[in-house]
Amino acid sequence: MKLNEDEKKIFEDFLSFLQLHPELKKWELTSEPVLSLSDLEIDPSQRLVRCNQKEVALTTKEYNLLCLLAVNNGRVLSYSQIYEKVWGEALTVNERGTVGYHVRNLRRKLYSADPHHPFIIESIREIGYRFQTTS
C-alpha cells in the first residue's frame, strides 16, 4: 500500500506525537506468543494461521476450533467440551453435527495447504476429536 503525501504527513505527525508522549506506551498491548507445531503456526495477535508457510484463511469458528484443538495437542476433547468453548453454549442434540461440519472444513483447508501435513485432526468415535502432531 502506497501512501499519498497527505497520508504520509498524518503518519509522521502521529509518530511525532507518540514520541512526545511516552506515557502512551502503557496502553500498548503485549503480544501473544505464536503457537508452532511442526509446519503449523498460529499467531493470535494477528489471527493468522500458516500451514507449511502458506496463510490459511479460516472463519472465526474454524480459527477458534483450531486454537482449542492445538493447545490441547494429544488430548481427546468431547463434542460438548468443544461446543461449550467455541460456541459458548451447552451442547444440545443437533450441535454435534455443527462441530463435525466445522472440523471437516478446517481439515480441508489445512490439509490442502500442506498435503504432507505433520498433524492430524482425528475423529474419536462417539466422543469427539483429538489434534495430534505426527512428526
Side-chain angles (χ1 to χ4, degrees), residues 59-90:
T59 66
T60 300
K61 295 295 186 206
E62 291 165 351
Y63 176 84
N64 293 341
L65 178 59
L66 176 61
C67 289
L68 176 65
L69 292 170
V71 299
N72 289 286
N73 184 16
R75 290 182 59 198
V76 175
L77 300 179
S78 69
Y79 293 107
S80 61
Q81 288 172 315
I82 294 168
Y83 198 81
E84 286 173 16
K85 292 290 186 184
V86 175
W87 279 265
E89 302 170 6

Side-chain angles (χ1 to χ4, degrees), residues 5 11 24 26 39 46 58 85 93 108 118 126 135:
E5 290 304 313
F11 185 70
L24 293 177
K26 68 181 177 183
D39 284 343
Q46 297 183 37
L58 300 177
K85 292 290 186 184
V93 178
R108 179 180 47 81
E126 303 297 319
S135 59

Side-chain angles (χ1 to χ4, degrees), residues 33-37 40-44 48-50 63 66-67 70:
V34 173
L35 176 61
S36 291
L37 300 164
L40 178 67
E41 278 188 4
I42 303 170
D43 185 346
L48 279 178
V49 174
R50 288 187 189 88
Y63 176 84
L66 176 61
C67 289

